[in-house]
Amino acid sequence: MKLLRYGPPGQEKPGLLDADGQIRDLSGTVPDIAGAVLSPDGLARLAALDAASLPLVGGSPRLGPPVSGMKNFVCIGLNYADHAAETGASIPKEPIIFLKSLGALQGPNDQVELPKASTKTDWEVELAIIIGQKAKYVPENKAMEYVAGYAVCNDVSEREFQIERGGTWDKGKGHDTFGPLGPWLVTRDEVPDPQNLSMFCEVDGQRYQDGSTRTMIFGVAKLVSYVSHFMTLHPGDVITTGTPPGVGMGQKPPVFLKEGQTIRLGIEGLGEQQQVTVRAEF
């Protein structure tokens, strides 16, 4: 099942993608893709619906983030062995956790802003875990029960702010628009092995990232369990799981985003995103 939210920013309605790739309206069934709707029982009720009986959404509406009500936008750093190698970093002994501002969250095809004074804005295609029920001190062997599904995320990053400005990574990760999520939430039952998904990212048609979740150091179950021992996770929370090699700062010489470029990225079975870069004005 592919769940989504469509409509203008702040006015999104819940929907699902049917077998023919058409959007069906869920607003008469659930208030939003949030809270108890993401629980195992909530998802089972949606899966039991006859999609063909739901109202068809015409045209090509904007897609918003596929979940609402997020409390924590958690990110994992240096979680791909081949990406750690391209940055010259050691393999982490434990997951590296940082937080992305909730203000960074946006739809999958919305514009990405280059911050004022930015010279090193970068791309990162990532597998996002979407939490389905409250998770606190979860054992690893139970962790998958707390996963509602998965989505594509672009962990947009300003490398100078992140690395050279004397602070934590959060400084380079939280600008408005730095967290495109979607196009939809693909429920866990449709992704039997999240550790075997191909993924890519292109800028203006040039492919920079061409990797796989096979090279993740810490897998999905480990990450959900680990993070839940440091903060309580809630329905709709997201954990982005790191990126494969091919980011801009790893190029020789480094390559960073400029105004007017098109970023296209995707993950096998989870869909694609596309953003155009613009300069932040205020």
Side-chain angles (χ1 to χ4, degrees), residues 22-273:
Q22 302 180 102
I23 297 175
R24 298 284 178 166
D25 180 37
L26 281 173
S27 60
T29 306
V30 295
D32 208 342
I33 309 299
V37 172
L38 294 167
S39 70
D41 288 346
L43 293 177
R45 284 192 288 271
L46 292 182
L49 296 172
D50 175 12
S53 69
L54 297 169
L56 185 64
V57 178
S60 300
R62 168 192 174 269
L63 296 180
V67 291
S68 183
M70 183 190 300
K71 294 181 182 294
N72 295 295
F73 199 161
V74 184
C75 302
I76 307 298
L78 296 175
N79 193 37
Y80 282 65
D82 39 6
H83 173 55
E86 81 169 337
T87 66
S90 300
I91 299 297
K93 295 180 180 179
E94 296 187 44
I96 296 171
I97 297 175
F98 60 93
L99 298 176
K100 191 179 276 283
S101 167
L102 297 184
L105 183 66
Q106 68 163 11
N109 304 314
D110 294 342
Q111 294 177 332
V112 164
E113 290 186 357
L114 306 181
K116 287 186 175 182
S118 167
T119 58
K120 297 182 179 180
T121 300
D122 204 345
W123 57 85
E124 293 189 13
V125 58
E126 304 206 5
L127 172 69
I129 305 164
I130 299 176
I131 300 298
Q133 53 185 326
K134 184 177 178 180
K136 185 173 184 178
Y137 299 120
V138 173
E140 189 171 340
N141 65 352
K142 299 287 188 181
M144 299 303 287
E145 299 173 12
Y146 295 81
V147 176
Y150 306 94
V152 181
C153 184
N154 187 358
D155 177 20
V156 185
S157 309
E158 213 299 340
R159 302 301 189 188
E160 181 190 8
F161 299 175
Q162 175 189 356
I163 299 168
E164 303 172 35
R165 297 292 295 272
T168 61
W169 285 12
D170 308 60
K171 191 181 292 186
K173 299 283 190 170
H175 191 271
D176 295 348
T177 77
F178 270 24
L181 187 69
W184 30 74
L185 179 163
V186 180
T187 51
R188 178 164 53 93
D189 59 294
E190 292 197 11
V191 187
D193 186 2
Q195 307 307 149
N196 189 27
L197 302 175
S198 60
M199 53 207 308
F200 75 91
C201 183
E202 299 174 350
V203 179
D204 287 344
Q206 180 173 343
R207 184 158 295 198
Y208 285 97
Q209 292 187 278
D210 197 356
S212 171
T213 58
R214 290 191 303 270
T215 65
M216 284 171 61
I217 298 165
F218 305 106
V220 169
K222 172 67 175 180
L223 292 175
V224 172
S225 172
Y226 186 86
V227 173
S228 78
H229 283 72
F230 294 93
M231 65 189 77
T232 301
L233 297 168
H234 300 269
D237 282 358
V238 166
I239 303 173
T240 66
T241 57
T243 197
V247 298
M249 73 172 180
Q251 306 301 309
K252 300 187 186 304
V255 176
F256 296 111
L257 292 166
K258 298 180 176 63
E259 187 176 355
Q261 293 189 296
T262 299
I263 312 166
R264 176 174 165 262
L265 59 148
I267 299 177
E268 178 184 357
L270 303 185
E272 296 184 3
Q273 304 182 351

